[in-house]
C-alpha cells in the first residue's frame, strides 16, 4: 500500500522579508515539531521511509519530530518550497503591487501572483511554475514508486500543489488552499488504483489539546 504523509514545517521566522531570513524555525516552531513527533509516536503511526527538503526549516522540523527514529532521513531539494519572497518582488516589478504585510491581504495577493507566475509574466525568478510543478511531481512519483508508508517534511506550496493536482483545483482555489495550510499540519495521500487520492488534509490533532491552541498558526 502506498501512503504518503506530508508535514508542513513548524512556524518559521515570519518577521523576515527575504528567503534566507525566513528559513529557520521560531521557538514556537520547534515546539510544534516536538509535539507532532510525540503525537505520531503516541498514536502508533509507522513509516517505512522518511524524506525532507533541504531547507533549514525542513531539517529542523524533521529533527524536532525525531523523524530519523522511523528511518534515515533522505534530503531532497525537489521538496523545497517555492521562493515566495523572490516571486513577490518580481510580481511587484510586473504589477506594482508590493508584498502584503498583513495576513488578510495575502488572500487577494497570492492568487494574482500565482496567475502571473503561471502565465509567464514574472522576470528574473528562481524557477518557472512549470519547473516547480515538474520537480515536485517527479519527487512524489519517485517516493510513490517505493509503495510504502512515507513521511515527507516539506512546505505549504508543495502540499498545496499536490492537493491541486489530485483535486484539479483552479488557480484561485490552489492559492487559497496554500494559505489554509497550518504549521506542522499533516496531510495524507493514499494510492487508490493507479492514482494518489487525498485521504487527510490539515490535521493538527497535536495542537488541539488545552494549552496549545495558541500554536495553531499559519505564518
Amino acid at each position: 500500500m502506498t501512503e504518503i504523509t506530508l508535514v508542513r514545517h513548524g512556524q518559521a521566522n515570519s518577521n523576515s522579508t527575504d528567503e534566507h531570513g525566513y528559513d529557520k524555525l521560531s521557538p514556537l516552531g520547534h515546539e510544534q515539531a516536538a509535539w507532532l513527533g510525540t503525537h505520531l509516536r503516541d498514536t502508533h503511526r509507522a513509516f517505512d521511509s522518511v524524506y525532507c527538503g533541504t531547507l533549514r526549516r525542513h531539517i529542523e522540523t524533521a529533527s524536532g519530530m525525531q523523524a530519523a527514529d522511523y528511518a534515515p532521513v533522505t534530503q531532497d531539494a525537489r521538496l523545497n518550497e517555492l521562493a515566495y519572497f523572490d516571486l513577490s518582488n518580481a510580481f511587484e516589478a510586473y504589477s506594482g503591487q508590493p508584498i502584503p504585510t498583513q495576513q488578510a491581504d495575502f488572500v487577494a495577493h497570492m492568487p494574482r501572483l500565482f496567475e502571473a507566475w503561471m502565465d509567464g509574466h514574472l522576470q528574473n525568478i528562481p524557477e518557472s511554475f512549470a519547473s516547480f510543478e515538474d520537480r515536485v511531481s517527479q519527487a512524489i512519483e519517485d517516493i510513490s514508486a517505493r509503495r510504502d508508508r512515507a513521511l515527507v517534511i516539506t512546505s505549504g506550496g508543495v502540499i498545496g500543489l499536490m492537493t491541486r493536482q489530485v483535486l484539479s483545483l483552479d488557480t484561485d482555489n490552489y492559492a487559497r488552499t496554500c494559505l489554509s495550510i497550518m504549521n506542522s499540519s499533516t496531510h495524507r495521500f493514499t494510492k487508490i488504483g493507479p492514482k494518489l487520492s487525498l485521504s487527510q488534509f490539515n490535521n493538527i490533532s497535536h495542537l488541539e489539546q488545552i494549552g496549545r491552541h495558541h500554536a495553531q498558526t499559519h505564518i
Side-chain angles (χ1 to χ4, degrees):
M1 177 179 179
T2 300
E3 182 182 271
I4 303 175
T5 299
L6 282 86
V7 174
R8 185 189 175 196
H9 60 80
Q11 184 188 63
N13 182 26
S14 56
N15 292 323
S16 179
T17 57
D18 62 71
E19 302 292 343
H20 178 73
Y22 178 75
D23 191 27
K24 62 180 179 180
L25 293 190
S26 69
L28 179 59
H30 284 285
E31 284 190 305
Q32 291 168 333
W35 287 332
L36 175 57
T38 299
H39 173 77
L40 292 174
R41 289 188 292 276
D42 286 348
T43 54
H44 304 288
R45 291 299 307 174
F47 302 100
D48 305 303
S49 57
V50 181
Y51 305 84
C52 74
T54 61
L55 298 175
R56 177 177 174 180
R57 57 190 184 272
H58 299 157
I59 296 167
E60 289 181 343
T61 300
S63 176
M65 292 173 59
Q66 299 182 36
D69 288 354
Y70 296 108
V73 180
T74 300
Q75 295 183 22
D76 189 336
R78 296 177 299 175
L79 297 168
N80 287 354
E81 179 64 298
L82 56 92
Y84 194 81
F85 290 105
D86 293 340
L87 291 172
S88 293
N89 290 333
F91 182 63
E92 182 174 5
Y94 165 71
S95 67
Q97 299 178 43
I99 187 170
T101 57
Q102 301 296 322
Q103 182 176 353
D105 296 333
F106 280 94
V107 176
H109 182 265
M110 187 176 283
R112 292 197 294 266
L113 183 154
F114 278 10
E115 185 174 7
W117 187 28
M118 291 176 180
D119 290 344
H121 295 308
L122 305 185
Q123 303 297 315
N124 301 316
I125 55 176
E127 62 183 339
S128 66
F129 176 76
S131 176
F132 171 66
E133 185 172 38
D134 182 65
R135 69 167 166 87
V136 172
S137 298
Q138 286 297 317
I140 297 302
E141 184 176 328
D142 289 347
I143 293 169
S144 178
R146 291 176 58 94
R147 299 183 179 181
D148 65 3
R149 295 166 296 182
L151 176 65
V152 179
I153 296 96
T154 181
S155 290
V158 172
I159 298 167
L161 180 65
M162 280 196 64
T163 306
R164 174 180 185 266
Q165 292 174 336
V166 167
L167 300 182
S168 300
L169 300 178
D170 61 20
T171 304
D172 183 68
N173 284 312
Y174 168 38
R176 290 175 181 273
T177 296
C178 290
L179 288 168
S180 74
I181 295 172
M182 303 187 74
N183 294 122
S184 73
S185 55
T186 64
H187 312 254
R188 190 164 299 131
F189 294 81
T190 305
K191 182 165 280 189
I192 300 175
K195 297 182 179 180
L196 289 172
S197 297
L198 181 65
S199 53
Q200 181 189 92
F201 181 78
N202 230 9
N203 183 5
I204 52 165
S205 299
H206 60 297
L207 303 179
E208 297 286 5
Q209 298 181 29
I210 294 174
R212 295 185 184 177
H213 292 182
H214 69 284
Q216 298 177 10
T217 60
H218 293 90
I219 59 173

